[in-house]
Amino acid sequence: MIPPASTRLTDVQLEFVASVVEAAAVHDHDVLLSPSGGDHDRSFERIVTGRRVDGVILMEILLADPRVDRLSQAGLPFVTIGHVEHPGASWWVDVDYAGLISRCVRHLADLGHQHVVLINRSDELVAAGYGPALRSTAGFLEAAGQRGLTAHNVCCADDPAAGLACFEQIRERWPGVTAAVTINEAALPGVQRALHRAALDVPRAFSLTGVIADRLAEDFYPPLTAADVPARQMARLAVDLLLEQINDPSATPRHALLEPAITLRSSTGARHG
């Protein structure tokens, strides 16, 4: 199940989809892509009730996700990329957003930054209870509090124009901010343009880090210090867990919470001034 076509898929989402298709093909399984969320309830219901598939991989998970409840009721094997607030005995693969964002904040604190901001996902996703956004917020605020930092949290729509506007708003509202943490990869090109427009040298005048796909981190200028989301590994794990369920309905549910290392590149440096 993929996000609706009206939502432009991010780099990480596309990598999940491609890697799931690739991993399933190794096991001689075909993949049916079907949208869920938005106005696609009937499509989702057809998948669940029509038994057109042997199992489901669900992505973009909310803390309280009705799709997860529906699949549980139906008894259809499924794995989530992400996890609900109370996953209980279920099968899932996720990245430890709270832990990784905390490490990003501590890294910035170690470099002397005292005023930091989290560039989060959109207002709509946060309001809907999107897991990574809320867990990142919790990890960010907790780590900033522990290190005595002044911390701000802003929501930003998933596109470059929003990234540019968001960063300019941050500069206007909180001129003392010297570093940002982000999980919003789609907004990054706009943030890059805003930094250039403001003549802020990275990392001498401003530091940037976050949890981002490695390809995007490498393409940023300068290359982004980040916890690289292991999308390919997560997709392969999701396929393995789903096939385990399909082949043995009595198998004990398993999950994997991944904590990729933060790759130190060139976008973070000591606070000046």
Side-chain angles (χ1 to χ4, degrees), residues 161 239 267:
V239 170
S267 67

Side-chain angles (χ1 to χ4, degrees), residues 102-123:
S102 294
R103 276 161 50 194
C104 289
V105 172
R106 292 197 295 271
H107 170 60
L108 293 172
D110 289 344
L111 291 169
H113 295 278
Q114 295 169 328
H115 297 266
V116 297
V117 64
L118 173 66
I119 300 173
N120 211 324
R121 299 289 295 277
S122 69
D123 282 309

Side-chain angles (χ1 to χ4, degrees), residues 75 94 129 147 154 168 211 234 237 247 260 265:
D94 206 354
R147 297 300 292 267
V154 294
E168 290 184 340
V211 183
M234 292 171 74
L237 265 170
N247 295 329
R265 297 186 178 94

